[in-house]
Amino acid sequence: MSPDRVATDTGRSSARDDSGQFLVMAVVFMTMFLALAGLVVDGGNYLNAKDAAATEAEQAARAGAAALDPGQLHGATLALDPALAVQNAEQFMSAPSQHPGTAWVVGSTVYVNITYNQPTQLLSFIGISNMHVDVTEQATNVAGVS
């Protein structure tokens, strides 16, 4: 035998066993794919929920901003009744298919805050069970302002 042939044979004796590496890579890539799909699906659901909550808060604020003080209407003055405005806004939010929230009045502006947790579908597999939605909107009654 030639010396080149012997050197090649000894190199083969130290070869490693590669079995099982594909399984490890498949598990890692499937986990990454599931997380990415979860971000797409649950991220889209989160954005939709935040948009819906903003719409609900705007409508509740408008319902509150429409509550004028009847005592001042007789004097030809338009003013907001703060207690009635908060009551109207919170009553609007307590209607079916709405999310409850809080309302408050500063001057002639009604503020509404809606906060709730949006459950996740795919991200729950990696430990994220919900996403927090928090929206604050406002409305001002500008009737009679020119």
Side-chain angles (χ1 to χ4, degrees), residues 45-46 49 53 99-100 114-120 129-134:
N45 288 341
Y46 171 76
H99 296 97
I114 294 179
T115 302
Y116 65 96
N117 289 324
Q118 173 72 22
T120 60
S129 60
N130 57 46
M131 294 181 167
H132 188 70
V133 176
D134 187 6

Side-chain angles (χ1 to χ4, degrees), residues 12-142:
R12 283 189 185 164
S13 64
S14 66
R16 299 185 322 188
D17 183 20
D18 291 340
S19 63
Q21 287 186 359
F22 178 75
L23 179 63
V24 172
M25 284 189 351
V27 168
V28 168
F29 284 125
M30 288 304 289
T31 303
M32 289 177 15
F33 176 72
L34 183 62
L36 182 61
L39 287 174
V40 170
V41 171
D42 290 328
N45 288 341
Y46 171 76
L47 292 176
N48 288 340
K50 190 160 180 126
D51 187 45
T55 300
E56 292 171 16
E58 288 172 352
Q59 292 174 355
R62 285 188 202 114
L68 297 177
D69 185 359
Q72 293 196 7
L73 283 175
H74 297 295
T77 306
L78 294 175
L80 195 63
D81 181 356
L84 186 59
V86 168
Q87 179 184 355
N88 286 354
E90 290 182 349
Q91 185 176 19
F92 180 88
M93 289 183 288
S94 67
S97 78
Q98 303 290 329
H99 296 97
T102 57
W104 66 95
V105 176
V106 176
S108 63
T109 303
V110 179
Y111 295 88
V112 173
N113 178 265
I114 294 179
T115 302
Y116 65 96
N117 289 324
Q118 173 72 22
T120 60
Q121 295 173 353
L122 295 177
L123 289 179
S124 61
F125 290 121
I126 60 170
I128 301 172
S129 60
N130 57 46
M131 294 181 167
H132 188 70
V133 176
D134 187 6
V135 176
T136 302
E137 296 294 334
Q138 64 186 14
T140 303
N141 190 328
V142 291

